[in-house]
Amino acid sequence: MQQMTSRRAFLSARFRQEDGLIARPPGAIVQSFADLCTKCGDCAEVCPEDVIVIGTDGFPQFQPVDDPCTFCGDCARACPTDALNIDRVTEWPWRAALKPESCLSMNGVSCRICQDNCERDAIRFTLLTGGRLEPGLDASLCNGCGLCPSLCPADAIALERQPEPEMEALQ
């Protein structure tokens, strides 16, 4: 079900933009981030790894380039509102997702930059016939730090939001 913008938000020109496709900083509230964030930029300013940038919409986005996120929580502690909260940092829902058909190693080019830089050893390669290597991801080891997608020269890795576990009703 798609969420509609409230009348109050419409009249104040604050449109609800959260569709789950934009990675917000660790500790971000999912449903009302656009309503709570004041676009102050404090989270991006204090981030020691520079993984938070201010998007074209003025809201902070999670975009690692050179360093992985260490989930230190500095961004959440710097937030003057509840848009980011230190208690939600451990609930980071983003994880790496592989697109093997785009991987250079699957196409006969020697590249393992993602495996070489994964501090948690979540990415491994399996030797196939013909000298090709197939990438594999152990999702239980991946913490979603964001380094592998930024390093991959073939865009064969992306960060994807993991579905929230659904509660099952017991009868």
Side-chain angles (χ1 to χ4, degrees), residues 30-46:
V30 178
Q31 294 299 327
S32 56
F33 183 82
D35 294 331
L36 293 173
C37 179
T38 61
K39 301 182 183 180
C40 67
D42 290 352
C43 55
E45 194 173 309
V46 301

Side-chain angles (χ1 to χ4, degrees), residues 27 32 34 37 44 47 64-65 67 77 82 104 129-130 149 158 165 169 171:
S32 56
C37 179
C47 180
V65 177
D67 294 313
R77 280 190 282 278
D82 195 41
L104 294 177
T129 56
Q171 294 189 25

Side-chain angles (χ1 to χ4, degrees), residues 49-73:
E49 289 86 21
D50 292 324
V51 298
I52 301 173
V53 298
I54 303 301
T56 56
D57 59 359
F59 291 106
Q61 297 178 3
F62 181 77
Q63 265 185 1
V65 177
D66 296 323
D67 294 313
C69 182
T70 60
F71 303 101
C72 64

